[in-house]
Amino acid sequence: MNIRKKLILCMILLAIPCSALGEIYKISMIPRHSAEENLKIMSMLAKYFSSKTGKTIEPLITRDYFEFEKALLSGEIDISIENPTVYVRVTSMHEVIASAVDNLGGGMVRGLMIARKGGSIKMLSDIKGKKVCIVGKTSTAGFLSPKLKLSGEGIVVDKDCTLVEAVENKQENVIFSVLAGDADAGFIKESAFHKADEFIPPGSISVIGEGAWLPNDAFSVKKTLPQDFKNALFEAAKSLNEFDEIMVGLGLSSWRSAKDSAYDSVRAALAQ
């Protein structure tokens, strides 16, 4: 093919609308892992859902919870896995089609309140007036769940404690902060308790209480996606099991059908 023909072909391709060439959909997930881990899991998800739906799906990486939520609200993300707190904040753009199930709490999730072994905090009441490291204000298990539990104990963490967010909103960074003495206590997701075991002395961190149970992660899609595409995504998610590499990476055992009302308890908790 000579240069003139190549130029004409390029001009024709550029003139064709993206929809005619095949639309590209973006998939993302809440960045609770390292960028490398997130990319690995999302790349597997993109490949899997592309093969199951016949659509072109690509991963979209965000740096932190704030950037992730912003991308959801701006419409950049078509398919997403997010915690319940973020989900109820983005329902103007997204709708849940499935809810996560794991081997710890089934369809529910909770946080843990941790402290240094041998430190000044022995029980929940000792948290009052202390510095507490949380995953982030938009973390369900790493903030909202413990906050609800402590509220029942008469402690309003936003007022009665000094709250600091973990670096990059990472669960393990809460543990490191508590161990180093940068915080007196920490809030983490229950499944993350052993996440930093290879880096810390055995038995150096204690659980001083469990948070309230709340609905597990949401698998959501942009509301404007075609219904047949949404159905195909749900069927593909439902066919995954706990032994699939994707689910191992996510720390989940399965996905089950869910409606928006399943997260009303989260809305109520956020309103407190």
Side-chain angles (χ1 to χ4, degrees):
M1 186 182 292
N2 60 38
I3 294 176
R4 184 171 179 275
K5 287 183 178 180
K6 286 182 179 179
L7 287 173
I8 292 172
L9 179 59
C10 286
M11 290 174 69
I12 292 171
L13 289 173
L14 288 171
I16 298 174
C18 290
S19 57
L21 293 173
E23 190 168 358
I24 296 174
Y25 298 93
K26 296 293 184 178
I27 188 168
S28 192
M29 59 183 280
I30 196 161
R32 59 168 61 112
H33 308 291
S34 69
E36 292 76 18
E37 288 178 285
N38 274 356
L39 180 58
K40 179 183 177 182
I41 296 170
M42 283 192 291
S43 295
M44 289 191 292
L45 284 165
K47 182 178 180 181
Y48 174 75
F49 286 117
S50 292
S51 68
K52 291 292 185 179
T53 65
K55 306 289 187 181
T56 302
I57 302 171
E58 296 179 351
L60 187 151
I61 290 284
T62 57
R63 290 172 296 181
D64 52 35
Y65 282 34
F66 174 78
E67 189 176 283
F68 174 67
E69 185 175 329
K70 183 179 178 182
L72 284 165
L73 289 171
S74 68
E76 293 178 66
I77 300 171
D78 301 289
I79 308 156
S80 173
I81 297 172
E82 66 272 335
N83 71 31
T85 303
V86 171
Y87 169 68
V88 301
R89 289 160 62 106
V90 300
T91 50
S92 60
M93 290 294 295
H94 270 238
E95 62 180 312
V96 65
I97 59 172
S99 182
V101 177
D102 62 37
N103 291 322
L104 278 175
M108 306 294 282
V109 67
R110 68 180 177 182
L112 297 177
M113 290 159 275
I114 61 171
R116 286 185 307 282
K117 188 75 175 280
S120 61
I121 299 180
K122 311 293 185 185
M123 57 186 71
L124 293 183
S125 58
D126 295 333
I127 287 181
K128 192 169 185 177
K130 298 297 195 299
K131 185 177 181 180
V132 180
C133 185
I134 63 174
V135 175
K137 286 289 186 76
T138 54
S139 174
T140 301
F143 178 59
L144 186 58
S145 167
K147 176 184 175 179
L148 279 177
K149 174 66 175 182
L150 289 168
S151 177
E153 301 289 324
I155 300 173
V156 182
V157 293
D158 299 273
K159 296 179 180 179
D160 296 332
C161 303
T162 299
L163 300 178
V164 293
E165 294 195 2
V167 175
E168 297 181 335
N169 303 124
K170 297 295 185 288
Q171 304 275 347
E172 59 268 36
N173 287 337
V174 175
I175 299 172
F176 295 143
S177 180
V178 172
L179 182 65
D182 295 328
D184 302 300
F187 298 165
I188 60 171
K189 189 175 183 179
E190 184 172 15
S191 61
F193 182 62
H194 295 290
K195 194 171 179 63
D197 278 4
E198 62 180 304
F199 305 109
I200 66 173
S204 57
I205 298 293
S206 299
V207 174
I208 56 173
E210 295 86 17
W213 288 106
L214 289 167
N216 214 327
D217 286 356
F219 182 95
S220 72
V221 295
K222 195 188 292 184
K223 290 181 176 181
T224 55
L225 293 186
Q227 189 58 49
D228 59 344
F229 186 22
K230 295 177 186 178
N231 294 340
L233 287 166
F234 170 70
E235 292 300 326
K238 193 173 68 171
S239 68
L240 289 166
N241 65 65
E242 63 181 308
F243 303 109
D244 288 311
E245 188 178 3
I246 290 172
M247 299 300 272
V248 172
L250 291 170
L252 302 175
S253 56
S254 63
W255 292 99
R256 65 186 183 190
S257 178
K259 295 182 179 180
D260 180 76
S261 58
Y263 293 89
D264 283 347
S265 60
V266 178
R267 292 185 175 92
L270 289 170
Q272 290 188 20

